[in-house]
């Protein structure tokens, strides 16, 4: 009898095994998930993660009851349930209308208030007010300045105060505010270190900013989160969070082992290339980042800032720039650019003259 009973109930065993295998198959893709966005190591990214959680929970206050009530109503008022109330003439309930419209309205107001506050509080242009939720920034601590240039397809990091630079390697001390200035050489990219802060666009001819901090030592992934061409997939770098002493030693190693980053070397580095190894530079040409932003590194083009200064002072006068020397933008393009009005070396002199002329007029 025992054997017969076991034989009758044995099909449940394979069914349970299949169910477990099914759950395992559904969970398997999750093993590749990286939860760094929800468990970051920087205060700005941590506040952003908390905002995501709070917003999700607020929305679930409506979503979960609606899903439950949909299933309850479908079951209770099914055609076969003759015990359910049948009111074909019913058309309105003030109490129900208040619930249907009032609850979502309150949640939208709460979400709007959270968004407005966090948008200003987490503005990437806004200097940091704390290291984390428990610690303020110590008196006398200055932010680490880092100039970021998105190249095709690699990242250039310039440390103007330390006088060094790197390619595809970002290093910063733990618990020290970081002030990033971000630009691009050719096309739009997006600078993103998920463990530290949200992504910030890098645009040619423009400068964006980011204030952030890393609170835990470690090595973190950084990449471009905006498609920019063939080498986009490999446009990645490592971000090292070090102690102050380790960061100082890293700077000294760069100065001892690196080469000078001249404007000529930058122009060669700017050419498209993929899978570039880490490079280190012991010194940086003065004003290189500003020249990148103003698109006049090679010295033969007028800087964008000076063009705008001339325009603000009234332009190039009668005939505009028709009589001025011009050069092809590149060998492949037919566009031209002005080359004789001023150059990066004498731009300030000409801009001052134009400003003085505008003032007199």
């Amino acid at each position: 009898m025992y054997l017969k009973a076991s034989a009758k109930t044995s099909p449940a065993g394979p069914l349970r095994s299949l169910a477990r295998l099914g759950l395992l198959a559904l969970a398997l893709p999750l093993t590749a998930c990286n939860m760094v966005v929800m468990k970051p190591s920087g205060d700005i990214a941590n506040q952003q993660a908390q905002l995501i959680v709070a917003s999700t929970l607020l929305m679930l206050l409506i979503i979960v009851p609606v899903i439950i009530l949909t299933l309850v109503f479908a079951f209770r008022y099914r055609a076969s349930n003759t015990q359910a109330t049948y009111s074909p003439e019913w058309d309105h309930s003030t109490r129900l209308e208040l619930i249907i419209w009032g609850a979502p309205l309150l949640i939208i107001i709460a979400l709007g208030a959270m968004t407005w506050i966090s948008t200003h509080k987490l503005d990437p242009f806004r200097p940091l007010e704390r290291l984390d939720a428990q610690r303020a920034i110590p008196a006398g601590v200055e932010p680490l300045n880092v100039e970021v240039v998105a190249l095709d397809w690699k990242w250039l990091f310039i440390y103007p105060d330390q006088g060094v630079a790197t390619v595809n390697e970002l290093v910063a001390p733990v618990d020290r505010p970081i002030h990033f200035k971000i630009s691009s050489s050719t096309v739009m990219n997006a600078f993103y270190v998920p463990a530290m802060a949200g992504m910030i666009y890098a645009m040619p001819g423009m400068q964006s900013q980011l204030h952030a901090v890393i609170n835990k030592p470690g090595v973190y992934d950084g990449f471009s989160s905006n498609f920019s061409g063939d080498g986009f997939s490999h446009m990645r770098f490592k971000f090292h969070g070090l102690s102050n002493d380790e960061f100082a030693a890293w700077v000294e190693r760069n100065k001892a082992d690196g080469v000078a980053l001249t404007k000529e070397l930058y122009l060669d580095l700017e050419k498209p290339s993929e899978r570039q190894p880490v490079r280190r530079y012991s010194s940086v040409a003065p004003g290189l980042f500003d020249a990148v932003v103003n698109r006049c590194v090679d010295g033969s083009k007028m800087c964008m800032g000076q063009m705008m200064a001339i325009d603000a002072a009234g332009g190039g006068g009668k005939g505009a720039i028709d009589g001025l020397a011009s050069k092809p933008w590149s060998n492949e393009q037919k566009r031209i650019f002005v080359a004789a009005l001023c150059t990066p070396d004498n731009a300030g002199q000409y801009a001052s003259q134009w400003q003085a002329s505008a003032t007199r007029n």
Side-chain angles (χ1 to χ4, degrees):
M1 291 298 293
Y2 177 78
L3 292 175
K4 290 181 179 179
S6 300
K8 290 181 179 179
T9 58
S10 60
L15 289 177
R16 282 196 296 268
S17 299
L18 289 174
R20 291 170 182 171
L21 287 174
L23 291 174
L24 180 61
L26 291 174
L28 188 60
L30 297 178
T31 59
C33 293
N34 190 338
M35 297 299 291
V36 64
V37 173
M38 301 310 299
K39 294 183 179 180
S41 301
D43 183 56
I44 295 297
N46 188 50
Q47 293 182 69
Q48 293 170 338
Q50 292 175 2
L51 179 62
I52 293 173
V53 172
S55 300
T56 302
L57 292 177
L58 274 174
M59 291 183 284
L60 287 176
L61 290 177
I62 286 294
I63 295 173
V64 172
V66 167
I67 292 174
I68 293 174
L69 290 174
T70 299
L71 297 175
V72 170
F73 288 170
F75 177 77
R76 179 175 176 80
Y77 297 103
R78 66 193 187 277
S80 61
N81 185 11
T82 58
Q83 302 300 318
T85 303
Y86 178 63
S87 303
E89 303 300 326
W90 181 89
D91 65 350
H92 180 72
S93 170
T94 301
R95 182 183 301 174
L96 190 58
E97 290 286 346
L98 288 174
I99 295 174
I100 292 174
W101 294 105
L105 179 61
L106 292 175
I107 290 178
I108 290 172
I109 292 173
L111 284 172
M114 287 175 53
T115 302
W116 189 88
I117 294 171
S118 61
T119 298
H120 291 80
K121 185 179 180 181
L122 300 177
D123 182 358
F125 279 66
R126 181 177 180 174
L128 299 185
E129 298 176 351
R130 68 184 201 183
L131 294 179
D132 55 35
Q134 289 77 36
R135 296 177 296 169
I137 297 177
V141 173
E142 294 294 329
L144 174 68
N145 294 305
V146 182
E147 297 168 341
V148 182
V149 181
L151 304 171
D152 294 332
W153 287 277
K154 47 198 169 286
W155 291 94
L156 172 64
F157 301 103
I158 301 173
Y159 296 77
D161 299 331
Q162 288 73 27
V164 298
T166 59
V167 169
N168 288 342
E169 183 182 61
L170 176 62
V171 179
V174 172
D175 290 336
R176 180 177 176 181
I178 312 171
H179 179 205
F180 294 98
K181 295 181 180 180
I182 306 168
S183 188
S184 175
S185 62
T186 55
V187 299
M188 180 182 289
N189 278 280
F191 173 73
Y192 190 25
V193 182
M196 179 177 61
M199 71 174 188
I200 301 295
Y201 283 113
M203 296 165 283
M206 301 179 68
Q207 175 187 294
S208 53
Q209 296 184 49
L210 172 64
H211 289 268
V213 64
I214 195 72
N215 299 121
K216 297 178 182 178
V219 181
Y220 307 98
D221 291 324
F223 53 90
S224 173
S225 54
N226 189 80
F227 181 74
S228 59
D230 293 340
F232 161 76
S233 299
H234 308 292
M235 194 172 173
R236 297 173 175 270
F237 62 91
K238 293 297 183 180
F239 173 38
H240 300 261
L242 306 177
S243 66
N244 288 323
D245 292 339
E246 290 172 333
F247 176 74
W250 175 83
V251 171
E252 292 304 318
R253 286 198 303 271
N254 275 15
K255 291 183 177 181
D257 302 334
V259 298
L261 180 57
T262 63
K263 290 186 176 181
E264 292 74 18
L265 191 57
Y266 169 83
L267 292 174
D268 184 66
L269 182 66
E270 192 181 45
K271 297 175 182 177
S273 60
E274 300 181 30
R275 300 176 182 269
Q276 285 294 306
V278 173
R279 300 185 187 182
R280 297 184 174 90
Y281 300 95
S282 58
S283 62
V284 182
L288 178 61
F289 181 75
D290 289 336
V292 172
V293 174
N294 285 280
R295 302 179 67 79
C296 56
V297 177
D298 65 2
S300 65
K301 301 181 180 71
M302 186 193 303
C303 293
M304 289 175 53
Q306 301 310 321
M307 291 183 186
M308 290 184 280
I310 291 170
D311 289 340
K318 187 176 181 180
I321 60 173
D322 293 339
L324 300 175
S326 59
K327 296 173 62 178
W329 183 264
S330 69
N331 294 331
E332 296 79 15
Q333 298 178 348
K334 296 182 180 179
R335 292 188 302 159
I336 61 174
F337 61 89
V338 178
L341 189 57
C342 62
T343 68
D345 297 327
N346 63 15
Q349 170 190 351
Y350 279 90
S352 300
Q353 293 176 359
W354 280 103
Q355 292 285 4
S357 175
T359 302
R360 290 195 300 270
N361 294 335

